[in-house]
């Protein structure tokens, strides 16, 4: 009985470790970006969020530590982008 429990524990441990390694590898892969460059850091505009009013979009843009812009959408809402 002890041997069976030990073997079951070892098998479960192996599955857990293999799954964690596969998940970590998948998360480590960089996302494809249209602005990707050959360097390790991609530069470009990153979408932050959508705002009902221009003033709320600008307020969040001013609070960011990066260059920012608010773009009006066809729906009348505002999209905030920051430069990375």
């Amino acid at each position: 009985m002890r041997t069976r429990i030990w073997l079951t524990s070892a098998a479960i441990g192996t599955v857990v470790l293999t799954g964690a390694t596969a998940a970590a590898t998948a998360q480590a892969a960089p996302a494809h970006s249209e602005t990707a460059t050959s360097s390790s850091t991609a530069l470009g505009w990153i979408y932050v969020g959508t705002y009902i009013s221009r003033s709320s979009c600008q307020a969040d843009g001013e609070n960011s530590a990066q260059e920012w812009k608010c773009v009006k959408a066809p729906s009348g809402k505002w999209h905030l982008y920051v430069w990375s």
Side-chain angles (χ1 to χ4, degrees):
M1 184 69 171
R2 286 183 186 178
T3 304
R4 183 183 301 166
I5 292 172
W6 185 86
L7 289 174
T8 303
S9 298
I12 291 173
T14 302
V15 170
V16 169
L17 288 176
T18 304
T21 303
T25 303
Q27 291 175 355
H32 178 13
S33 172
E34 293 179 1
T35 59
T37 62
S38 60
S39 68
S40 61
T41 57
L43 298 177
W45 290 103
I46 298 174
Y47 169 78
V48 175
T50 301
Y51 299 84
I52 295 173
S53 67
R54 182 178 182 189
S55 61
S56 61
C57 180
Q58 289 175 332
D60 274 358
E62 291 170 355
N63 287 333
S64 71
Q66 299 168 331
E67 183 179 349
W68 58 273
K69 67 179 178 180
C70 290
V71 178
K72 189 170 186 176
S75 64
K77 295 181 180 179
W78 293 85
H79 298 299
L80 174 62
Y81 294 89
V82 294
W83 182 259
S84 170

